Amino acid sequence: MKRIMIIGATGVFGSRLATLLNHETNIMLVLAARSKPKLQQLLDRLDARHGFAIIDRDQINGEDLQNIDLVIDAAGPFHKGHDMVIQASISAGCDYIDLADGREFIANIGQYDGAAQKAGVAVISGASSIPALSHAVIDKLRHGWSAIDDIYVGIFPGNRAPRGLSVVQSILSYAGRPVRVFKNGHWQHLTGWAGLHRRNIPFAGKRWASICDTPEQDLLVEAYKPAGSAEFYAGMELSILHLGLYILSLPVRWGWLNTLEPASKALLWMSRQFLPFGSDIGAMDVQIKGYNASGQPRTSRWALRADANHGPNVPIFAAAILARRLAKGIALPKGARPCHGLIRLQEFEADFAQFGIKTIMQENAAPQRSALLERIVLRFPIASRFLSV
């Protein structure tokens, strides 16, 4: 039986991961967080064999991870580059997985490769919707292709989905600030939470989308070498929240403020006042354009729809898949790396089915364009600085 510690076990993602792994016969969970009462409430809902530990991820050390086979960091935020859990895992000789979405955090994960190899442990970062699932999708979509021109990845949670402080902090850290994006064949700096456009997602409807600062932009270019663009967008379901954040980000864009991050708690509270509105439908959208083996142009698309607030489960599936592998005696690859190329798309299907999550794949799908926005840009070219079509 493998002892797996989940840090941030009482949070939005950690509690769902604990529930998902609860009945795995070869896994004993050690649930870790700062609050004992919250941990006890979670334990009361799970199998009695599991345990808990009071741990602050910013003060953790190797002694806290003795007799642990795998630690999964589901706490965050990761954009500040905190690496105490990684250092503690390597020191204790246990494998490490995180659900990180911080761009610099994942980009720099390779710096731990030597230490991880020497300790004989795996350090895997980004075992979440991106890059683990998104890259599994792209690998499926591009099978047999000779080249890729453009990649588009978008994530669109339903408004009623639970939201945590770390997610809000991550978004506000780049809203209005320059974001490095590979577009039109070269790297350029665009504005975070700008690039406003409407995305029509198969069986999920239209959602607002804006530029995000994630590790995906770097990893997509590194892994797939697109000739044209590699873009990642996200959007809030309610226009008042999505466009409201765009407006709030303007003082940052104009240089009046350095960041919106200090307002994280206030904006999180404000967003929660709108929870009764909108839907509980989350979506994910991946589209690629390129050429098949014969050099013919192709466009392929994959989309996901998660009803009944099951969307927040999607980011935990990759970590759960890797944890189950370890529990079956399949060693995780030693060394430090992003979670790219480690999981195939079909490995997600059982968890999709368990939560009633629907997916669709379209070959030669029509490229996503907004006719209205195209007309605006044609008539007023300066609008291209604010809108993406």
Side-chain angles (χ1 to χ4, degrees):
M1 182 172 290
K2 297 296 183 180
R3 289 171 57 87
I4 297 179
M5 176 181 285
I6 300 176
I7 296 179
T10 59
V12 172
F13 299 123
S15 60
R16 289 172 182 251
L17 180 59
T19 302
L20 184 60
L21 296 176
N22 180 39
H23 298 301
E24 297 289 335
T25 56
N26 295 328
I27 292 176
M28 189 185 82
L29 298 173
V30 179
L31 308 178
R34 296 187 179 100
S35 171
K36 184 176 180 179
K38 290 182 179 180
L39 283 170
Q40 191 60 59
Q41 290 176 8
L42 178 59
L43 275 171
D44 290 343
R45 304 199 305 266
L46 304 180
D47 194 299
R49 74 177 185 272
H50 303 310
F52 73 92
I54 307 300
I55 286 180
D56 184 336
R57 70 188 289 270
D58 296 326
Q59 300 179 14
I60 194 172
N61 57 54
E63 294 180 0
D64 295 317
L65 302 180
Q66 294 302 312
N67 301 316
I68 298 295
D69 296 294
L70 167 67
V71 58
I72 302 176
D73 190 350
F78 297 98
H79 66 279
K80 291 184 181 298
H82 296 307
D83 65 350
M84 294 293 291
V85 182
I86 296 176
Q87 299 281 13
S89 299
I90 293 174
S91 174
C94 73
D95 292 328
Y96 165 94
I97 295 172
D98 66 43
L99 277 63
D101 59 357
R103 187 167 187 169
E104 292 184 6
F105 187 92
I106 295 182
N108 294 326
I109 201 67
Q111 68 181 300
Y112 307 102
D113 186 63
Q117 293 276 6
K118 186 176 180 179
V121 300
V123 173
I124 300 172
S125 189
S128 191
S129 303
I130 58 170
L133 175 55
S134 58
H135 288 209
V137 170
I138 293 170
D139 288 339
K140 180 71 172 180
L141 292 177
R142 69 160 185 155
H143 181 69
W145 285 25
S146 60
I148 293 179
D149 275 343
D150 302 304
I151 303 173
Y152 180 107
V153 178
I155 293 180
F156 309 93
N159 185 62
R160 296 180 188 175
R163 57 208 68 173
L165 180 61
S166 63
V167 173
V168 175
Q169 289 173 328
S170 178
I171 294 173
L172 296 184
S173 70
Y174 60 76
R177 296 176 62 86
V179 174
R180 187 169 174 261
V181 177
F182 188 77
K183 189 170 183 176
N184 299 326
H186 66 278
W187 288 103
Q188 50 187 293
H189 283 90
L190 304 177
T191 304
W193 210 254
L196 290 172
H197 66 285
R198 293 282 276 176
R199 189 79 175 169
N200 192 12
I201 306 165
F203 59 49
K206 293 183 178 180
R207 298 288 176 94
W208 282 106
S210 286
I211 296 169
C212 297
D213 192 23
T214 73
E216 193 71 313
Q217 284 100 331
D218 299 314
L219 297 174
L220 289 173
V221 174
E222 179 181 344
Y224 302 108
K225 298 176 174 56
S229 303
E231 301 176 81
F232 180 88
Y233 290 84
M236 302 178 190
E237 183 182 9
L238 295 186
S239 296
I240 189 172
L241 294 181
H242 191 102
L243 300 179
L245 178 55
Y246 173 77
I247 293 170
L248 288 175
S249 72
L250 290 177
V252 178
R253 183 173 186 170
W254 296 333
W256 297 354
L257 293 176
N258 183 50
T259 176
L260 291 174
E261 196 172 355
S264 296
K265 291 183 178 179
L267 292 179
L268 174 60
W269 177 86
M270 187 179 300
S271 72
R272 284 175 173 168
Q273 309 313 302
F274 291 87
L275 281 174
F277 306 98
S279 74
D280 57 9
I281 300 171
M284 184 171 174
D285 190 18
V286 180
Q287 187 167 348
I288 63 173
K289 295 173 63 178
Y291 303 90
N292 66 10
S294 302
Q296 297 174 318
R298 287 288 183 267
T299 300
S300 293
R301 190 180 191 185
W302 176 94
L304 171 151
R305 169 175 168 155
D307 291 77
N309 264 342
H310 289 315
N313 288 309
V314 176
I316 69 171
F317 290 156
I321 290 168
L322 295 175
R324 293 184 192 118
R325 278 189 198 172
L326 188 66
K328 293 176 182 177
I330 303 172
L332 301 178
K334 306 309 177 188
R337 59 180 52 80
C339 195
H340 159 75
L342 299 181
I343 306 174
R344 295 171 298 169
L345 182 58
Q346 51 265 43
E347 295 181 82
F348 289 91
E349 291 176 355
D351 288 315
F352 287 162
Q354 178 180 347
F355 291 94
I357 294 172
K358 306 177 183 69
T359 63
I360 186 172
M361 188 174 297
Q362 300 174 335
E363 296 293 334
N364 290 325
Q368 269 289 307
R369 293 280 185 179
S370 166
L372 175 59
L373 294 185
E374 281 188 331
R375 289 197 297 271
I376 292 174
V377 171
L378 286 173
R379 187 172 180 83
F380 306 103
I382 194 173
S384 63
R385 296 180 57 188
F386 305 92
L387 304 172
S388 175
V389 297

